[in-house]
Amino acid sequence: EAEAKLETLREEAITAGDSLAAARANIALGLAAAAAGRNADAIDRLESGLEMAPISPSGRPDVYATLGRAYAATSRPDKAVEVFERSLDEVEQDAPEDIAAQIRFTTYLSFALTDMGDLDRAQSVLDAALEKADAMTDAYSRVRLYWGLARLNDLQGRPAAALDYVRRAIAL
């Protein structure tokens, strides 16, 4: 029912020439589609909404995180990497003090790189984030980072290191 109402609002906004409202409706529809597991629809809606009215990843990280995860879920990790790299670059430029957002997108990027089989690059981006993490007090971001490092080390055949990072995440 909510999606039907959003679709009606989107159509009305397009008819009225209100691209901002149409973009917001598309983004909301994309988020709903992703939550329902309709990833291809989510990609279409989110991309369309962002094209109509671009927003910053630092302002709406959920939109970019959802878009990247939708690409990954549709077996397109290369597109997920593009989304997360672009998001990370924009956050570093627009909000260099927001270490938590940088770590969030770095972790997502490492997952996408791992999915592509680029384990060396995934390790490199996580190592860079780990250096930044010393200045960060946000425990949840550290948990994300440690989880990413645990996943990567497990895939690289280093279970002891993976276990160490999982324990660090659990401790936080």
Side-chain angles (χ1 to χ4, degrees), residues 11-138:
E11 293 301 324
E12 289 174 1
I14 289 171
T15 301
D18 187 349
S19 61
L20 182 58
R24 288 179 178 169
N26 262 345
I27 288 170
L29 286 163
L31 294 172
R38 298 186 322 268
N39 292 303
D41 185 29
I43 291 167
D44 291 341
R45 298 291 188 155
L46 293 171
E47 289 282 7
S48 175
L50 291 170
E51 187 176 304
M52 294 169 96
I55 53 176
S56 166
S58 58
R60 288 294 308 269
D62 59 319
V63 172
Y64 290 90
T66 301
L67 178 59
R69 285 192 307 263
Y71 274 124
T74 56
S75 300
R76 294 162 67 190
D78 56 321
K79 292 295 286 182
V81 166
E82 287 177 25
V83 168
F84 295 137
E85 282 179 328
R86 188 174 65 239
S87 297
L88 180 58
D89 289 345
E90 288 184 34
V91 167
E92 287 175 339
Q93 184 177 359
D94 296 345
E97 73 287 347
D98 193 351
I99 303 297
Q102 291 173 33
I103 294 214
R104 177 182 194 174
F105 284 114
T106 298
T107 303
Y108 293 151
L109 174 59
S110 77
F111 289 168
L113 288 166
T114 299
D115 290 345
M116 283 181 40
D118 193 348
L119 303 182
D120 291 337
R121 186 151 173 246
Q123 183 71 53
S124 175
V125 298
L126 286 172
D127 288 344
L130 195 55
E131 289 177 20
K132 291 181 184 179
D134 291 337
M136 185 181 53
T137 59
D138 175 30

